[in-house]
Amino acid sequence: MAIEIERKYFVKSDQWKSLGERKFYKQGYLLIDKSKTIRVRTIDDKGFLTIKGTSVGISRKEFEYEIPVEDANFMLTSLCEKPVIEKYRTKIEWCDLIWEVDEFIGENEGLVIAEVELKEENQKIDLPDWVGEEVSGNPRYNNSYLVKHPFRTWNKKLI
């Protein structure tokens, strides 16, 4: 069974921008529930369907399957809740881990979050200089939350 163990952080500088390859992601949600989410995503010319279970700490069950990009695009435009999430993701290798920096555009423009997947919850990690405050436990920074509460609508004083 696939388990995702992930930590999320604010990004505090642009030092990361030249460290990896940037790809365009578009994703939407077929189901957003407290106990599970079903997500459709395109990355460049590939489509994916992902099912995630309830988060327990920073862990949750995750199942991801490649699907035809045409099917993914149809689901994004016709079946998913709006607005869909649009972002550029840059993958960066740092101290034997892969960091993913999401630079949101569209309704969530201005939000930049770094996440790193771990092998175990208590794994020690060295933070890059461009990583700031951890937001792993804050559901406001989940992509599924951003669909219903886009970043542009937030009171920036409360961030």
Side-chain angles (χ1 to χ4, degrees):
M1 188 173 313
I3 302 288
E4 174 188 58
I5 304 170
E6 179 180 81
R7 291 195 176 278
K8 291 184 181 191
Y9 299 84
F10 281 127
V11 172
K12 64 181 183 180
S13 78
D14 288 343
Q15 293 174 315
W16 59 272
K17 285 194 172 189
S18 63
L19 301 177
E21 182 183 346
R22 185 176 172 198
K23 291 190 175 199
F24 180 68
Y25 282 55
K26 195 172 192 179
Q27 66 188 47
Y29 290 84
L30 297 167
L31 175 69
I32 299 171
D33 184 272
K34 287 182 180 179
S35 64
K36 60 191 157 290
T37 60
I38 301 175
R39 175 186 76 202
V40 176
R41 171 186 273 176
T42 59
I43 306 169
D44 292 336
D45 62 347
K46 294 188 176 202
F48 299 90
L49 181 67
T50 306
I51 298 110
K52 294 187 179 196
T54 304
S55 291
V56 178
I58 59 169
S59 300
R60 62 182 163 179
K61 292 176 178 59
E62 178 185 57
F63 305 90
E64 185 165 81
Y65 307 96
E66 189 167 348
I67 62 173
V69 71
E70 298 82 8
D71 292 355
N73 283 323
F74 176 82
M75 287 185 245
L76 284 166
T77 57
S78 303
L79 301 175
C80 291
E81 292 193 40
K82 302 298 185 274
V84 296
I85 301 292
E86 296 177 300
K87 61 188 177 182
Y88 287 99
R89 174 171 280 179
T90 302
K91 293 188 178 190
I92 300 163
E93 189 172 338
W94 181 270
C95 294
D96 297 325
L97 294 172
I98 303 297
W99 287 80
E100 298 173 336
V101 178
D102 288 341
E103 186 175 18
F104 292 86
I105 60 174
E107 295 293 306
N108 293 292
E109 188 162 347
L111 183 60
V112 183
I113 297 290
E115 55 189 52
V116 62
E117 287 199 26
L118 307 173
K119 292 184 173 119
E120 55 187 53
E121 283 202 18
N122 296 323
Q123 183 174 340
K124 179 165 173 23
I125 56 176
D126 293 314
L127 300 179
D129 292 341
W130 38 267
V131 167
E133 177 186 348
E134 184 171 5
V135 295
S136 300
N138 189 333
R140 290 180 61 173
Y141 298 98
N142 292 341
N143 285 261
S144 58
Y145 182 90
L146 295 171
V147 170
K148 295 185 180 203
H149 311 277
F151 185 68
R152 69 170 180 79
T153 66
W154 293 14
N155 180 346
K156 301 306 187 268
K157 294 177 186 173
L158 299 177
I159 297 173

